[in-house]
Amino acid sequence: MNLKNKIVIITGAGSGIGAATAKLFGTHGAVVVASDINLNNAQKIAGDITEAGGIASAIKTDVTQYQEVEALIANTIEKHDRLDVIVNNAGIGGKEQLKTAEHTHDDWHNVIAVNQTGVFYCMKVALQHMMRQGHGNIVNVASLAGLKASGHNLSYSASKFAVVGMTKSAALEYARKNIRINAVCPGFTHSALLDQLLAVSPDMGEKLKRFIPMGRFGEADEIAEAICWLASENSKFITGQTITLDGGTSL
């Protein structure tokens, strides 16, 4: 993949898919800005990339705060003169697994703020800069829960359906401006969110695997490969698409 010297921001880079993606970009020679609400985690990932011979830095960002998103992107451009790619990966799940009538207000507002509004803020600010520089690439991390029904999970599902819709709408708007916007939709993938789901009951893991034709959960590295490919010149005629990585679950 041709990613050498691309300036890349990854939100939620401190763990899971974000961390795997940041490291893979670093391996391919990109200049990585690892952003996370947990600065220690982001610094660790940036350190790992640097130790492996790459170039990386860390910035603390709460994507629910518009001013912090502005600062993240402005600082990146001030330091590197441009922004080639932003991967909007920061996301959370609800604390409770409840049906819609019992869904808590806190879960609704918190999940929507990070997963939906945070992606909007990052896209809005990044697009302003990408328009001025004449090019850009955005990869949003949605979910299988943004493509099909997901019970006991209303706010998460709503936020990920929104990410898919925002991806397609923005891709249509900016296709003639040399800016590509795509999304990945992971199924059940080893991450903190999956760990939270597996904690519901001792046999939850085996129950979930019955719905996956490949019979296993995804790995963060596998999602990272798709993200980096979408961000590279190897996919330069692709925009407005969702790549589903779910081991066949959606079948």
Side-chain angles (χ1 to χ4, degrees), residues 25-100:
F25 269 113
T27 298
H28 284 288
V31 178
V32 177
V33 178
S35 168
D36 201 281
I37 195 169
N38 185 317
L39 182 58
N40 289 336
N41 286 356
Q43 288 174 329
K44 181 183 183 306
I45 299 304
D48 290 345
I49 294 168
T50 303
E51 287 176 14
I55 302 172
S57 58
I59 298 180
K60 181 180 184 298
T61 311
D62 179 350
V63 296
T64 71
Q65 303 301 309
Y66 188 69
Q67 292 80 4
E68 292 193 26
V69 172
E70 286 185 306
L72 165 66
I73 294 174
N75 289 341
T76 298
I77 292 173
E78 181 179 357
K79 183 175 181 180
H80 300 291
D81 296 324
R82 68 183 193 278
L83 172 61
D84 298 313
V85 179
I86 184 167
V87 179
N88 294 317
N89 166 75
I92 62 172
K95 293 182 178 180
E96 307 286 346
Q97 301 291 313
L98 300 170
K99 291 184 179 179
T100 300

Side-chain angles (χ1 to χ4, degrees), residues 64-251:
T64 71
Q65 303 301 309
Y66 188 69
Q67 292 80 4
E68 292 193 26
V69 172
E70 286 185 306
L72 165 66
I73 294 174
N75 289 341
T76 298
I77 292 173
E78 181 179 357
K79 183 175 181 180
H80 300 291
D81 296 324
R82 68 183 193 278
L83 172 61
D84 298 313
V85 179
I86 184 167
V87 179
N88 294 317
N89 166 75
I92 62 172
K95 293 182 178 180
E96 307 286 346
Q97 301 291 313
L98 300 170
K99 291 184 179 179
T100 300
E102 288 78 41
H103 201 81
T104 69
H105 287 208
D106 282 347
D107 271 354
W108 176 265
H109 292 297
N110 292 337
V111 172
I112 294 297
V114 176
N115 296 7
Q116 181 175 344
T117 304
V119 171
F120 164 62
Y121 287 167
C122 289
M123 290 177 66
K124 176 179 172 64
V125 179
L127 283 165
Q128 292 169 355
H129 289 280
M130 289 174 176
M131 283 283 289
R132 286 195 286 269
Q133 69 190 17
H135 73 277
N137 192 312
I138 298 174
V139 183
N140 296 323
V141 179
S143 171
L144 181 60
L147 296 174
K148 61 186 294 294
S150 179
H152 301 81
N153 208 15
L154 187 73
S155 55
Y156 186 79
S157 182
S159 70
K160 295 303 185 178
F161 266 92
V163 170
V164 170
M166 290 190 292
T167 297
K168 291 181 177 293
S169 295
L172 179 63
E173 294 169 348
Y174 295 96
R176 293 185 182 273
K177 301 299 183 181
N178 199 28
I179 299 170
R180 296 193 296 112
I181 306 166
N182 292 287
V184 294
C185 292
F188 297 112
T189 303
H190 284 294
S191 65
L193 287 177
L194 180 61
D195 290 342
Q196 180 181 339
L197 189 58
L198 296 180
V200 172
S201 66
D203 62 342
M204 181 60 73
E206 292 307 312
K207 286 182 179 179
L208 293 177
K209 286 178 184 177
R210 293 183 198 135
F211 294 100
I212 306 172
M214 286 189 178
R216 67 174 179 86
F217 298 129
E219 300 294 338
D221 290 345
E222 294 170 323
I223 314 304
E225 289 279 357
I227 293 170
C228 287
W229 180 72
L230 286 171
S232 76
E233 297 306 308
N234 300 71
S235 60
K236 59 187 178 182
F237 199 51
I238 296 177
T239 195
Q241 301 304 304
T242 55
I243 295 183
T244 307
L245 303 103
D246 66 353
T249 305
S250 53
L251 299 175

